[in-house]
């Protein structure tokens, strides 16, 4: 009975470490499409019945709309019954030929949907409202390289957009991977690479723990071993006495 409490405490501490590290996951992607270089990041924080997605374009002074972020496909360990876009916030701008900017309006052309076993957050393609897409996420300026595919499609979200997805039927969502999309089609797709607080489960179905997960496991097992050794020493001391 003396052994049970310390062992339970060690296992509980390991669980707390794992839960804290898994709350916010960061993904990035970089590549080249038909219009040039593409790069984006997504920081996804889980909440009760919700996800908060901070989606960014990392290309400065882009040339064409094909380099702008227009869609994020999110893979979850379990799908919710429904998804809705609770809010979309960010700085919007209008870009004129030559690169001059003026303030834009509200973000109105993003939506969310469940399709093909994943969640889509989009202004173009699956999950997006109808009509010609705008509110694409463009990197920071200057915008002197912007061609008519950009200047003719205002407003744009400058740099980063923050989106809250609300779920029913899924109190504790677990993100396992993402794909980024670019352009108004969307035109190009890049798989996200996890760079922080990576999930144990990946979207291809593997189960290989990330290095941080291995470290937490080893820390927990090390603590467990120390408790067991202490208990054995106390038992031997008691028997000798």
């Amino acid at each position: 009975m003396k052994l049970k409490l310390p062992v339970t405490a060690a296992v509980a501490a390991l669980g707390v470490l794992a839960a804290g590290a898994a709350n916010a996951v960061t993904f990035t992607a970089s590549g080249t499409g038909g219009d040039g270089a593409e790069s984006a990041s997504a920081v996804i924080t889980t909440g009760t019945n919700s996800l908060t997605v901070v989606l960014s374009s990392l290309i400065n002074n882009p040339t064409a709309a094909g380099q702008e972020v227009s869609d994020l496909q999110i893979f979850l360990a379990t799908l919710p019954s429904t998804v809705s876009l609770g809010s979309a916030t960010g700085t919007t701008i209008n870009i004129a030929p030559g690169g001059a900017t003026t303030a834009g309006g509200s973000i109105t052309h993003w939506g969310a949907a469940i399709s093909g076993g994943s969640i889509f957050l989009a202004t173009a393609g699956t999950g997006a409202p109808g009509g010609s897409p705008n509110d694409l996420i463009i990197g920071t300026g200057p915008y002197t390289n912007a061609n008519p595919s950009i200047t003719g499609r205002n407003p744009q979200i400058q740099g980063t957009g923050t989106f809250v997805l609300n779920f029913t039927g899924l109190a504790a969502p677990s993100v396992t991977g993402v794909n980024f999309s670019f352009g108004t089609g969307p035109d190009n797709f890049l798989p996200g690479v996890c760079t922080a607080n990576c999930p144990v489960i990946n979207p291809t179905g593997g189960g290989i723990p990330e290095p941080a997960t291995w470290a937490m496991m080893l820390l927990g097992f090390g603590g467990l071993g120390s408790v067991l050794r202490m208990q054995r020493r106390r038992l031997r001391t008691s028997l000798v006495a």
Side-chain angles (χ1 to χ4, degrees):
M1 292 299 294
K2 290 182 180 179
L3 181 62
K4 183 176 180 181
L5 183 58
V7 171
T8 303
V11 172
L14 179 59
V16 169
L17 282 171
N23 188 47
V25 187
T26 301
F27 296 93
T28 61
S30 295
T32 303
D35 290 318
E38 301 166 344
S39 185
S41 68
V43 179
I44 305 177
T45 303
T46 59
T48 303
N49 298 303
S50 69
L51 292 178
T52 299
V53 180
V54 179
L55 185 57
S56 302
S57 175
L58 305 179
I59 296 295
N60 296 333
N61 202 2
T63 299
Q67 297 173 276
E68 297 183 75
V69 179
S70 58
D71 178 295
L72 186 70
Q73 182 182 16
I74 304 170
F75 299 95
L76 301 176
T78 303
L79 283 176
S81 301
T82 66
V83 60
S84 61
L85 180 59
S87 64
T89 56
T91 300
T92 62
I93 56 173
N94 299 309
I95 302 174
T101 63
T102 57
S106 300
I107 299 172
T108 60
H109 206 272
W110 283 76
I114 300 172
S115 180
S118 58
I119 303 293
F120 285 85
L121 170 65
T123 187
T126 303
S132 179
N134 54 28
D135 295 331
L136 277 72
I137 302 176
I138 192 168
T140 58
Y143 302 107
T144 52
N145 291 337
N147 69 19
S149 70
I150 292 177
T151 59
R153 194 177 298 278
N154 289 310
Q156 331 269 338
I157 299 174
Q158 187 177 36
T160 297
T162 301
F163 307 89
V164 176
L165 300 177
N166 295 323
F167 301 135
T168 62
L170 185 61
S174 177
V175 178
T176 61
V178 302
N179 286 329
F180 296 88
S181 300
F182 302 82
T184 59
D187 307 317
N188 196 37
F189 308 88
L190 292 175
V193 176
C194 185
T195 58
N197 292 333
C198 302
V200 175
I201 303 170
N202 62 47
T204 59
I208 301 174
E210 296 291 332
T213 304
W214 280 116
M216 287 188 292
M217 291 171 63
L218 292 172
L219 178 63
F221 289 135
L224 207 56
S226 297
V227 170
L228 291 172
R229 286 192 295 272
M230 289 174 60
Q231 290 294 325
R232 291 193 185 103
R233 283 197 295 268
R234 289 173 182 171
L235 180 59
R236 285 196 297 268
T237 301
S238 176
L239 289 174
V240 170

